[in-house]
């Protein structure tokens, strides 16, 4: 079996070598982002594995199918960069990756603490030998209510970690509402009205796109802290900016950002980045933004590569896997 891997990072290469031997596959590795222009690279391959920088639309899917691709895998949990509906229409199986939720859950809690203790502003001051305390008055997590939007594996793990801080934890999920030892399920309005911190762990779809908007922010507590380590488009950027300016939002911890494609995971130091909203949001002292790296641990990267190869092998050889179709 021959598999081509797009968007290969240096940290993935040792894992590709290891799992290629384990699964007995021949690999073609490229750093290129998948596009219709480089679709010819898949010729002679049985499967394609990708990350999330490229948009896999109908034109590219049709070309992969024409060139004999039998399965497409994404080495990510999210799959909103793939036209799943069209893939199903043309009979091209698609599968995604699964990895332990600990890394993202821990990172989310870290962002909460950074926002609560005004670490960004403190760090800026230290760079110019300003060690004053005014404006750095923090809050303790144990005295607050944390709302978790989306209580799948990552949201549940975040609740488990947060329980050790002694804070009150509320949860909301469109599909889950069972009892939990880590949190109390409630309706969305209650979560908005009573949470001091809200962390988002939802998948991106038509129902959740821009779920955090001007209307939902207006229903939240004053000085609320919002955390997003899921997908940038879950939040309306203009609404976030307005919330910060109006001092409705007390802090933002963002590991992902709307329209981050072509920016995050790339070295753009010498470039002019044409994303005014991103530049404007980053300059606020109570906004912490990182480059979509909550997932980025040794264990997660290894498992993402394993799923990328193993998912394709399983679909082609046995017809079974946790596919998205």
């Amino acid at each position: 079996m021959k598999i081509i891997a797009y968007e290969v990072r240096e940290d993935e290469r040792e894992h590709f070598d290891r799992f290629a031997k384990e699964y007995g596959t021949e690999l073609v590795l490229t750093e290129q982002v998948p596009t219709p222009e480089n679709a010819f690279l898949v010729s002679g391959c049985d499967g394609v594995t990708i990350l999330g920088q490229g948009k896999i639309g109908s034109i590219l899917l049709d070309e992969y199918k024409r060139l004999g691709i039998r399965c497409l895998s994404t080495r990510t949990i999210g799959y909103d960069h793939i036209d799943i509906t069209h893939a199903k229409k043309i009979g091209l199986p698609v599968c995604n990756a699964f990895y332990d939720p600990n890394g993202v859950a821990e990172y989310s809690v870290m962002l909460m603490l950074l926002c609560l203790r005004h670490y960004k502003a403190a760090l800026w001051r230290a760079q110019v030998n300003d060690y004053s305390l005014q404006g750095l008055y923090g809050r303790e997590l144990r005295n607050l209510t944390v709302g978790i939007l989306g209580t799948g594996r990552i949201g549940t793990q975040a609740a488990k970690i947060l329980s050790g801080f002694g804070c009150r934890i509320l949860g909301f999920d469109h599909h889950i509402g069972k009892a939990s030892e880590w949190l109390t399920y409630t309706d969305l309005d209650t979560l908005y009205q009573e949470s001091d911190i809200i962390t988002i762990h939802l998948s991106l779809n038509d129902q959740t796109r821009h779920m955090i908007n001007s209307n939902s922010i207006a229903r939240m507590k004053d000085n609320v802290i919002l955390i997003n380590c899921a997908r940038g488009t879950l939040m309306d950027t203009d609404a976030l900016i307005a919330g910060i300016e109006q001092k409705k939002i007390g802090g933002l911890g963002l590991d992902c950002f709307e329209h981050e494609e072509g920016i995050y995971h790339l070295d753009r130091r010498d470039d002019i980045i044409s994303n005014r909203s991103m530049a404007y949001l980053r300059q606020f002292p109570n906004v912490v933004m990182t480059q979509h790296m909550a997932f980025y641990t040794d264990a997660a990267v290894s498992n993402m590569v394993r799923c990328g190869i193993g998912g394709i092998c399983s679909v082609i050889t046995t017809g079974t896997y946790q596919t998205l179709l």
Side-chain angles (χ1 to χ4, degrees):
M1 188 180 303
K2 187 175 181 180
I3 296 172
I4 180 170
Y6 281 94
E7 306 173 83
V8 176
R9 299 189 309 266
E10 283 302 315
D11 56 83
E12 292 183 304
R13 289 184 180 273
E14 64 173 302
H15 303 295
F16 272 116
D17 290 342
R18 176 157 54 95
F19 290 117
K21 293 176 183 177
E22 181 177 323
Y23 286 98
T25 61
E26 178 184 353
L27 286 182
V28 177
L29 305 181
T30 177
E31 297 176 3
Q32 295 185 52
V33 174
T35 65
E37 289 72 29
N38 60 31
F40 69 90
L41 294 174
V42 312
S43 182
C45 295
D46 302 289
V48 175
T49 178
I50 62 171
L51 284 173
Q53 293 293 321
K55 292 294 184 182
I56 314 300
S58 59
I59 294 175
L60 195 49
L61 289 168
D62 286 340
E63 187 65 6
Y64 286 166
K65 183 73 173 180
R66 186 186 71 81
L67 291 170
I69 294 302
R70 300 162 63 189
C71 182
L72 170 67
S73 76
T74 178
R75 303 188 302 279
T76 59
I77 292 179
Y79 49 88
D80 50 280
H81 52 294
I82 303 171
D83 188 341
I84 297 296
T85 300
H86 189 76
K88 183 176 182 179
K89 179 180 178 182
I90 64 175
L92 181 60
V94 179
C95 53
N96 64 342
F98 294 88
Y99 50 82
D100 289 338
N102 305 64
V104 177
E106 291 172 2
Y107 202 92
S108 301
V109 175
M110 179 193 75
L111 288 179
M112 294 179 200
L113 295 171
L114 291 179
C115 290
L116 283 172
R117 301 309 299 268
H118 306 291
Y119 179 73
K120 179 180 178 181
L123 180 63
W124 282 0
R125 292 185 191 183
Q127 304 305 314
V128 294
N129 291 334
D130 177 359
Y131 303 108
S132 61
L133 294 177
Q134 186 176 358
L136 303 181
Y137 206 49
R139 290 183 285 172
E140 296 184 18
L141 191 50
R142 66 188 176 96
N143 296 323
L144 304 178
T145 296
V146 179
I148 299 178
L149 293 179
T151 56
R153 296 169 70 243
I154 295 174
T156 298
Q157 182 64 24
K160 182 177 179 181
I161 295 170
L162 286 165
S163 67
F165 287 86
C167 53
R168 177 184 180 221
I169 308 169
L170 302 179
F172 173 83
D173 197 291
H174 288 101
H175 307 292
I176 304 171
K178 62 183 180 182
S180 169
E181 61 179 308
W182 312 117
L183 57 82
T184 301
Y185 279 99
T186 186
D187 60 90
L188 192 56
D189 277 330
T190 299
L191 186 144
Y192 284 157
Q193 292 166 9
E194 299 186 8
S195 297
D196 300 287
I197 303 171
I198 297 175
T199 181
I200 306 172
H201 301 288
L202 296 164
S203 58
L204 178 62
N205 51 50
D206 290 340
Q207 187 179 20
T208 60
R209 188 179 305 274
H210 281 185
M211 184 173 182
I212 303 302
N213 51 47
S214 57
N215 179 269
S216 57
I217 291 172
R219 292 147 62 193
M220 297 176 188
K221 293 180 72 170
D222 291 343
N223 207 35
V224 65
I225 290 174
L226 301 179
I227 306 296
N228 188 0
C229 289
R231 284 291 183 268
T233 313
L234 293 167
M235 293 178 153
D236 182 339
T237 304
D238 290 339
L240 294 180
I241 291 173
I244 290 287
E245 290 179 331
Q246 296 161 10
K247 299 185 179 180
K248 175 71 175 182
I249 297 175
L252 286 175
L254 305 178
D255 185 52
C256 48
F257 185 80
E258 194 172 20
H259 309 305
E260 68 185 45
E261 299 84 2
I263 302 176
Y264 282 177
H265 299 177
L266 300 174
D267 184 348
R268 300 289 305 274
R269 281 177 290 184
D270 298 325
D271 300 335
I272 301 297
I273 298 177
S274 57
N275 191 318
R276 296 184 182 185
S277 295
M278 176 184 180
Y280 188 58
L281 197 54
R282 286 181 66 236
Q283 56 86 32
F284 290 113
N286 56 347
V287 175
V288 177
M289 295 179 70
T290 56
Q291 56 266 48
H292 209 144
M293 57 179 285
F295 76 95
Y296 197 49
T297 68
D298 51 356
V301 170
S302 175
N303 208 48
M304 290 164 72
V305 174
R306 181 186 64 80
C307 289
I309 297 176
I312 292 172
C313 291
S314 180
V315 169
I316 292 178
T317 59
T318 69
T320 60
Y321 190 70
Q322 292 181 324
T323 61
L324 304 173
L325 306 183

